[in-house]
Structure formats: structure tokens, C-alpha cells
Amino acid sequence: MTVNPINLDSAVGPSVRNAAAPYSDNARRKLLIVFLVALLLPIQPDLGGQRLDPYRLLLLMLFFPFVIAMLKRRAGLLTISDGLMGCYALWIVITLVFHHGMGRFAYASILATMLVGGYMAGRLLIRNAQDYRRFIRYFLIALLILFPFTLFELFTERMIIAETLGKVFPATAQQYQTLFPHSILVGIFCSIGFANVLYLYRGRFFGRLSRLALVIGMTYMALSSAPLLSIGLQTIMAGWDKVTRGKWMILAIGVASIYTFLSLASNRGPVIILIEKLKDLPMRSWYAR
């Protein structure tokens, strides 16, 4: 299905559009800001041997109110996606406990809570096109604020945000890159803005170009090949959507055929081949600095 980005509400089913929002527009706006701030704080307080950073604490506090709101159908009718997400979270707990014993139950439970809690936050706090655009706007503002710190870190290898917060909060993670525990996470966080900017700002040439430059620049400065691959795949899919007008089944069959061919023709497998090719990206020279 091809979605007109100017009218995002047309892509939402009537049962979702007509559902009563569990929070007012003002409350949703404030909660979205709180979620982004909590996600971007590199503080790691320890409680009972479990790392409970602000984002985890926020999701734990809101988990049951979110569950109640979902069961009351405040986000519309429950969907197959809701059920699959719940089953996946349960499978995480079962798998970790089965392989590592009850000693990992607390960790597994928190991990499942974060997964489902974050999913429910999206279902309950982004109820229409205005909420969606608002979230992307907040996301881009966050990238713009982080840009000078990330640039400074790129050339000096000093985690200036973590160093500064560490003087106030003893639980600050000193080795965080920008605001995340690994460069891959930094890059993936930044890269999710690419397709959103590409579509939401269509028709605004300079506005879209400047925002794409910000997203790509921040992603590149993470010095990780996986986020750049994400942007590459988003570019390919956007190009395919433009050329074929959303003929996704043809693309799915083509990708499946290539994957199957590489699996049969090589003893390394498609994923290993892709990773080995990515080793030659120009960014690799930065790691030696």
C-alpha cells in the first residue's frame, strides 16, 4: 500500500482513528518529550543488581497504566501486532530462564517490559498524524542539540556529556558514546529519522535537504557500518516506492530469491558476505585514530 505522507490519517483504520485517546493532546505532547529526555540521559542507577536507567524506570512506572488503557481499547481494537508483541516478550522471558536459570528472571522481565512498554507508548501517545509529525519534530530537535557534542566527541574522543553529568550524578556511564552505550545504538537512533524526513517533508526542498543532512551527518559520525546500511536500505526502498508506486510483493520476492541463491551458492551465507563487504567502507579509517 502506498501512503500519501501529506494525509497520514488516511493510512489508519477507522477503529483506531475513532478510538478515544487515553490522554489529552497536551498530555501526549508532554509525555513524548519526557520519553525522549529519559531515553537520552546516560545515567545508570543500580537497584538490586539491575541497571535501571531513566528510560527503564519510566516504562516500569507506566507499564500497568498502559496495559489497562490498551485493554480498555483506548488505542482502538487490539490487533494481531499487539498479540505478536506480547508473545515475543513472553518468549524472551521463557528463553532466558530456560537457558540461564531463574537468576536471569529479573533481567528478562525488565527486558520484556521495556519492549512491550515502548510499543504501547507508541500506540497510546501517537494517535494521529499531528502526533506523528510532532514526535519527528522533537526527534530532530534532539539531534540538532546533540550535533555539536557528537562533533566534538568525533575529533577529541572525549565523552563530554557523560563527563559533565558524571560530576553531578555518580551513576553516569562514563564510557557512553554521545548518549548511548555503543556506537551502533547511536547510529541506529539517528538513522531512523531518514525515511521519516524523506516523506514528511516532501514538497519542502530546503527544509527536507537540511534535515536529511543532519540525520545522515549524525549517523555517519557514529562510525558504525550498520546504521549506514540502514540508511542505504531506506534509500533503496524509498526509490522502489517512487518507481513502482508501492509494488512491495515484487521486491519481497526478489530479495527472497537473492537470499536463497546466496545461501545455496556460498558456504558463508548472505549475512556474512554483507558484513565482509561493509568492512571496506571509507569510515573504517577513522577507527585507527
Side-chain angles (χ1 to χ4, degrees):
M1 177 181 64
T2 302
V3 177
N4 181 1
I6 305 303
N7 186 17
L8 293 176
D9 280 324
S10 64
V12 181
S15 64
V16 176
R17 282 201 305 270
N18 298 331
Y23 308 103
S24 67
D25 182 78
N26 186 52
R28 294 199 305 275
R29 182 176 68 251
K30 291 180 179 178
L31 277 173
L32 283 175
I33 295 175
V34 170
F35 263 97
L36 268 177
V37 172
L39 178 65
L40 297 175
L41 281 177
I43 302 173
Q44 293 183 319
D46 186 272
L47 181 63
Q50 297 296 324
R51 179 173 61 86
L52 293 176
D53 50 40
Y55 181 67
R56 292 188 179 191
L57 286 172
L58 182 62
L59 287 178
L60 286 173
M61 288 188 297
L62 293 176
F63 184 80
F64 287 108
F66 278 177
V67 170
I68 293 172
M70 290 289 292
L71 293 177
K72 287 184 176 180
R73 299 182 178 180
R74 305 293 289 186
L77 297 175
L78 295 178
T79 66
I80 294 177
S81 298
D82 300 333
L84 290 175
M85 187 63 68
C87 290
Y88 179 54
L90 181 61
W91 186 250
I92 288 176
V93 176
I94 293 173
T95 301
L96 287 175
V97 171
F98 178 80
H99 288 285
H100 303 283
M102 287 300 296
R104 299 293 282 176
F105 179 76
Y107 169 77
S109 299
I110 292 176
L111 191 63
T113 300
M114 288 183 60
L115 174 72
V116 178
Y119 173 80
M120 291 190 297
R123 290 274 274 121
L124 293 165
L125 300 183
I126 301 179
R127 302 298 309 140
N128 49 51
Q130 180 183 354
D131 289 341
Y132 189 78
R133 292 191 181 94
R134 177 187 295 153
F135 172 74
I136 296 302
R137 184 168 66 251
Y138 293 162
F139 170 83
L140 292 172
I141 291 173
L143 291 192
L144 189 61
I145 294 173
L146 292 176
F147 179 80
F149 299 101
T150 306
L151 190 64
F152 178 84
E153 182 179 305
L154 178 70
F155 289 100
T156 66
E157 299 184 1
R158 289 185 56 193
M159 318 305 179
I160 188 67
I161 297 179
E163 289 179 11
T164 303
L165 289 177
K167 298 176 181 179
V168 181
F169 301 100
T172 298
Q174 298 293 331
Q175 298 304 315
Y176 267 33
Q177 179 168 346
T178 307
L179 294 173
F180 293 89
H182 197 281
S183 60
I184 292 178
L185 299 179
V186 178
I188 291 296
F189 174 78
C190 298
S191 69
I192 63 176
F194 182 81
N196 287 289
V197 169
L198 198 64
Y199 281 96
L200 289 178
Y201 293 91
R202 189 172 68 178
R204 298 169 55 182
F205 178 79
F206 291 105
R208 181 165 69 166
L209 187 63
S210 61
R211 289 168 175 82
L212 284 176
L214 173 65
V215 170
I216 295 173
M218 287 289 290
T219 303
Y220 187 86
M221 284 192 289
L223 301 181
S224 176
S225 56
L228 288 180
L229 175 61
S230 171
I231 285 184
L233 291 175
Q234 291 177 67
T235 303
I236 292 172
M237 295 179 71
W240 178 271
D241 181 47
K242 179 72 173 180
V243 173
T244 67
R245 298 182 181 276
K247 292 181 173 60
W248 297 110
M249 185 57 66
I250 298 176
L251 179 64
I253 294 174
V255 171
S257 300
I258 294 173
Y259 186 92
T260 302
F261 172 77
L262 291 176
S263 298
L264 297 174
S266 173
N267 58 0
R268 293 178 297 171
V271 176
I272 299 300
I273 293 174
L274 181 62
I275 292 174
E276 291 180 348
K277 293 298 182 182
L278 288 173
K279 290 180 179 179
D280 298 326
L281 285 174
M283 64 156 45
R284 297 295 295 183
S285 61
W286 281 91
Y287 287 106
R289 291 175 64 90

